[in-house]
């Protein structure tokens, strides 16, 4: 039997953190003078009771590190359980959402997906809007910590390539690990503050600036207006968010490297180059299409084309215009970019740029190998050879990704969604993008109209994608539960 | 410099074969008493002159086996050049097709894709219909020979798993290799004859029976009527073709094993089991959908549901009903099955069942490995461990497949095709299926309306898919052309 106590202990602390976070929207609603603050106090109360109960009930004087199975359980439940409690403020009170909608909205927030069942955001109380922003922001820093400290150690989907020795060894160099951790959190907080300040300086209201800064750096996508960034209709704000999204999809460890003055390594980083290159290519294609077929002026086309491409590729999902009426090429470009996502160790989800680079390097070697079947050729990444086990790990990751995408698509289609809606909803959920393609769930639509079962499946897909899938799959290995 | 002479010698012989094949439709047209026979005689004349010229011009008394680069060139040009000459009968004469259409139709035939630019097939001269059937039939046997004798030796996309020692060694056991080869050709001819006889017995006209038998066993999809199998409206004929398509997608070497009396090995074959299992699952899903949403009776639903699933998965493309009005789940199922294809060593294209099995086995091992990072675990297939280089080879294959699919989709969308048409045309071409999804290129539509450039790109996609891609990619390695 697995000893669940250390796992529940971790969950307990996370719930306490979540409960404290609920106090902020409560304060916001009190200041705004509306009665919704009670929902946050009530939800916070329930959450803190559950959290403290778990923490105290599993208290032990022996502090042992989690073993590997406990680590998987903590990583999986550490995302799922907070989603359940984070749904409370949405569900409580007069006019609250249904349980399914609340769970969908909370999961969409924490996983930084940003699909929403809410419409009429303009009229929502500030507490609710702040809660949505906070969920994404906490989810964003959560995934960065996971990507740095947990995924590489657990060998998830080739993330072992990014093992930072200092962070994986437990005993030695703990102070340095703590310094990297606290630096990254400071970078995250700092970038959020910078973005908020810039948006405010550009003329956005203070509250909106904070929420959109949080949503941007987390590549989350929740905004305070149904029309998203289009509400502001400001090229300056679009540019600020555009830069913020690019930063959000960058490998956060590079910021640490940069702070240490090692800018050469940042410039040379292969993943960063491909990431920026792909965005540039996609932006160019969509911009030209907008100029050619929609009679946009070059600057307007660039503004909306580049923003949309970066928003979809990083999986942010903020929009400057409703692109659901676009047809043909840009639709295909956006659809395929959905799968790419950002860099490893960023807040973005998706397959991630480095996995495509590893596959590409392998494919090139495969082709070259055909001519010299007996030569030993090893593909490389960032000037280092790629170990075979990393390649098979990446291959397993992408296969499961494709299988999950196909399965979820077919299940959604079975529930009555049309082909394009089903395909793009599935891709958007697993890659944590947010909006889909088409009129139903596109930037102009809402997920509210989908059947309840579809919402539950999509929320499951979001968690599955956010947790790089394998964390959830491992519990299906029978030996996981054996002694 | 590569010595092209042995390559051109092979091409020359292939053209001579093609020219002889052109005599059959000429005879058919003469018997039917129409003037189209002249086109075949003229095309045959041009082709035989080119063929004999190449054969004689590169004649040499030294018979050396091809070296590896020559083998790639022969494999690639051995498909491309015949497509060009096979287009002649379509383009010649009064009322002939444009060059692009003729090339599209010929390539679609030889690659056993079965997409057509022709409408009003009912009124076409028998020679033309026979020529379309012959192209598919020759392409089908061509790919079986390639899959047995060429691809495994060249290590293409994991096909080295299917290396038959007898066939790869040149010197020893040559008589046995010849026996396997001639047995398989006899099986192919025999199955075609059986299908034709069965269709004829079921009431189909003799000419139609022969064409549809050739088209079925080659998983080709060209028929003699715009409405394909729906023209006959016969459940018995549908059943015969249904069985024929399943046979066409089976590993042909298994027929040899079966003839040797080793039926146990056939029953135990993992690839065959998954192949049949996937078809059964897909058929069940679509059948239930037809009963539930379209008020079909159970037998009618099974007849059309199972036929359509098997036709799309094996990449045949014959249809018993126009499924372009289907929505939701069956569309998604058919879309994803397009990529699966049939078994290795069959006439079907696509990624092929065994590659999914290798990926699945690898993914399962990856998940199990997470719990025991230091254990040595090796995925297996057909009770044999999968070598690492086969896995990386398969990974390269699928990556290039996905990249080609995405690139072709985006290029088609750029040419003005809508999203679903572009996506399904791309998948259908690369997987050699034939019809796509939607009204334009679905079973009720025609490829004739597409822009010329789209047709050329699609024909390229067909060849790329048929040649398992890597055969064409290898020429982009600079060292291919160096000494
Ligand atoms: K998002
Ligand atoms: K076909």
């Amino acid at each position: 039997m697995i000893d669940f106590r250390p796992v529940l202990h971790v969950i307990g602390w996370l719930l306490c953190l979540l409960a404290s976070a609920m106090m902020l929207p409560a304060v916001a609603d009190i200041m705004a003078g509306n009665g919704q603050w009670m929902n946050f106090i009530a939800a916070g109360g329930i959450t803190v009771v559950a959290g403290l109960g778990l923490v105290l009930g599993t208290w032990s004087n022996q502090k042992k590190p989690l073993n590997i199975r406990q680590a998987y359980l903590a990583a999986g439940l550490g995302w799922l359980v907070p989603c359940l409690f984070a749904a409370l403020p949405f569900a409580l009170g007069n006019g609250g959402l249904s349980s399914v909608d609340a769970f969908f909205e909370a999961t969409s927030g924490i996983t930084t997906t940003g699909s929403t069942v809410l419409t009429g955001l303009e009229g929502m109380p500030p507490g609710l809007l702040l809660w949505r922003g906070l969920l994404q922001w906490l989810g964003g820093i959560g995934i960065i910590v996971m990507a740095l400290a947990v995924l590489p150690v657990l060998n998830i989907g080739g993330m072992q390539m990014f093992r930072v020795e200092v962070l994986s060894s437990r005993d030695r160099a703990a102070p340095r690990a703590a310094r990297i951790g606290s630096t990254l959190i400071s970078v995250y907080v700092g970038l959020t503050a910078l973005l908020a300040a810039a948006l405010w300086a550009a003329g956005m209201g203070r509250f909106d600036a904070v929420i959109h800064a949080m949503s941007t750096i987390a590549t989350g996508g929740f905004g305070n207006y149904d029309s998203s960034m289009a509400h502001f209709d400001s090229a300056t704000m679009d540019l600020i968010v555009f830069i913020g999204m690019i930063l959000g999809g960058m490998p956060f460890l590079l910021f640490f490297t940069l702070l240490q003055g090692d800018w050469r390594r940042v410039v040379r980083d292969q993943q960063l180059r491909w990431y920026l290159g792909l965005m540039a290519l996609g932006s160019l294609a969509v911009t030209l299409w907008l100029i050619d077929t929609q009679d946009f002026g070059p600057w307007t086309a660039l503004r909306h084309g580049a923003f949309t491409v970066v928003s979809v590729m990083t999986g942010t999902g903020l929009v400057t215009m409703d692109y659901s009426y676009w047809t043909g090429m840009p639709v295909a470009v956006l659809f395929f970019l959905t799968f790419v996502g950002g860099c490893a160790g960023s807040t973005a989800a998706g397959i991630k740029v480095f996995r495509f680079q590893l596959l590409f390097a392998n494919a090139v070697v495969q082709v070259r190998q055909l001519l010299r079947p007996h030569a030993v050729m090893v593909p490389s990444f960032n000037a280092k050879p790629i170990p075979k086990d990393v390649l098979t790990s990446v291959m397993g990751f992408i296969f499961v990704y494709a299988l999950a995408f196909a399965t979820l698509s077919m299940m959604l289609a079975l529930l009555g969604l049309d082909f394009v809606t089903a395909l793009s909803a599935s891709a958007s959920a697993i890659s944590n993008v947010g909006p889909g393609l088409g009129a139903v769930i596109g930037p102009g639509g809402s997920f509210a109209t989908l059947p309840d079962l579809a919402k539950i499946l999509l929320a499951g897909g979001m968690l599955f994608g956010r947790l790089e899938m394998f964390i959830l799959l491992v519990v299906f290995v029978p030996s996981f539960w054996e002694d």
Side-chain angles (χ1 to χ4, degrees), chain A:
Chain A
M1 239 331 260
I2 299 172
D3 182 2
F4 277 94
R5 282 169 300 175
V7 177
L8 297 176
H9 197 74
V10 171
I11 310 286
W13 280 119
L14 287 172
L15 290 184
C16 292
L17 177 70
L18 195 72
S20 349
M22 287 179 190
M23 295 308 104
L24 295 173
V27 170
D29 273 348
I30 290 170
M31 282 167 59
N34 69 49
Q36 305 288 324
W37 60 270
M38 286 183 296
N39 299 335
F40 288 99
I41 299 293
I46 295 171
T47 308
V48 80
V49 167
L52 279 182
L54 287 174
V55 167
L56 299 177
T58 58
W59 196 271
S60 151
N61 288 322
Q62 299 166 287
K63 294 285 172 212
K64 280 196 300 182
L66 301 185
N67 68 31
I68 194 161
R69 293 187 289 178
Q70 289 165 339
Y72 279 107
L73 282 177
L77 294 174
W79 286 81
L80 176 63
V81 176
C83 288
L84 294 172
F85 283 87
L88 285 174
F90 295 120
L92 291 178
N94 189 6
L97 298 175
S98 74
S99 312
V100 170
D101 279 0
F103 174 66
F104 180 90
E105 193 78 7
T107 308
S108 173
I110 291 185
T111 58
T112 78
T113 304
S115 304
T116 185
V117 294
L118 299 173
T119 41
L121 293 170
E122 294 67 7
M124 299 273 169
L128 195 89
L129 298 174
L130 179 56
W131 186 231
R132 294 166 87 237
L134 272 175
L135 288 179
Q136 301 215 312
W137 194 72
L138 292 172
I141 188 67
I143 202 64
I144 290 176
V145 170
M146 281 255 299
L148 276 169
V150 182
L151 299 179
V153 183
L154 296 181
N155 298 326
I156 299 290
M159 286 293 284
Q160 52 267 47
M161 283 287 282
F162 298 96
R163 206 175 281 172
V164 182
E165 279 315 317
V166 168
L167 292 178
S168 4
S169 64
R170 250 173 243 283
D171 320 308
R172 290 167 296 150
R176 194 170 128 81
R179 209 182 79 218
I180 296 183
S182 64
T183 306
L184 288 180
I185 293 177
S186 313
V187 165
Y188 191 72
V189 174
L191 286 177
T192 313
L194 270 178
L195 283 173
L199 287 172
W200 177 70
M204 200 183 269
R206 246 185 318 173
F207 182 72
D208 285 350
V210 170
I211 304 289
H212 284 86
M214 294 200 291
S215 175
T216 299
I217 199 69
T219 63
F222 277 157
N224 291 346
Y225 301 92
D226 287 351
S227 55
S228 191
M229 288 302 294
H231 168 82
F232 304 105
D233 193 20
S234 153
T236 318
M237 293 179 197
D238 288 354
L239 181 65
I240 294 164
V241 168
F242 175 78
I243 295 169
M245 294 189 296
I246 296 177
L247 293 173
M250 278 174 56
F252 267 65
L253 209 57
L254 282 189
F255 294 123
F256 183 76
T257 315
L258 204 60
L259 286 175
Q260 291 191 311
D262 190 357
W263 59 270
R264 272 171 219 279
R265 189 155 148 207
V266 175
V267 174
R268 283 200 202 115
D269 190 84
Q270 294 277 320
Q271 189 176 210
L272 189 59
R273 287 183 178 186
W274 274 52
Y275 169 67
L276 297 174
L278 271 174
M279 291 197 300
L281 264 179
S283 300
L284 185 71
V286 174
T287 301
L288 291 177
W289 184 86
L290 286 173
I291 295 172
D292 184 47
T293 68
Q294 308 292 307
D295 287 325
F296 278 38
W299 286 110
T300 317
L302 183 64
R303 172 180 160 193
H304 296 295
F307 190 100
T308 305
V309 163
V310 167
S311 177
V312 167
M313 182 171 146
T314 61
T316 307
L318 289 165
V319 295
T320 58
M321 65 180 298
D322 183 359
Y323 51 81
S324 48
Y325 75 90
W326 294 0
T327 52
M329 189 271 285
V331 185
V333 169
L334 294 178
F335 177 70
F336 289 114
L337 283 181
T338 298
F339 294 95
V340 177
C343 301
S346 72
T347 63
I351 291 175
K352 307 226 167 58
V353 176
F354 85 98
R355 293 205 176 89
F356 286 99
Q357 292 180 273
L358 298 191
L359 287 182
F360 187 80
N362 174 61
V364 169
V365 163
Q366 288 299 318
V367 175
R368 299 176 65 90
Q369 185 96 59
L370 293 178
L371 290 177
R372 302 171 64 200
H374 303 294
V376 177
M377 300 184 189
V378 179
S380 67
F381 173 68
N382 264 342
K384 274 178 245 161
I386 307 170
K388 280 258 161 157
D389 67 310
V390 168
L391 271 181
T392 47
S393 197
V394 167
M395 178 160 79
F397 182 93
I398 295 194
F399 176 69
V400 172
Y401 207 93
L403 204 63
F405 162 65
T407 310
L408 184 54
S409 300
M410 288 190 282
M411 289 197 293
L412 293 173
L414 186 60
L415 293 173
L417 279 64
D418 69 90
F419 179 63
V420 172
T421 304
L423 239 63
S424 71
S426 171
S428 174
I430 296 178
S431 296
N432 298 161
V433 172
L437 300 173
V440 184
I441 56 163
S446 154
F447 284 76
T449 55
L450 300 187
D452 273 353
L453 191 51
K455 288 175 193 159
I456 295 171
L457 288 173
L458 285 171
M462 293 172 197
L463 281 166
F464 198 66
R466 183 76 290 186
L467 289 169
E468 310 258 305
M469 302 175 301
F470 281 82
I471 289 182
L472 296 182
L473 286 179
V474 82
V475 300
F476 292 105
V477 180
S479 72
F480 187 86
W481 303 103
E482 289 160 11
D483 250 331

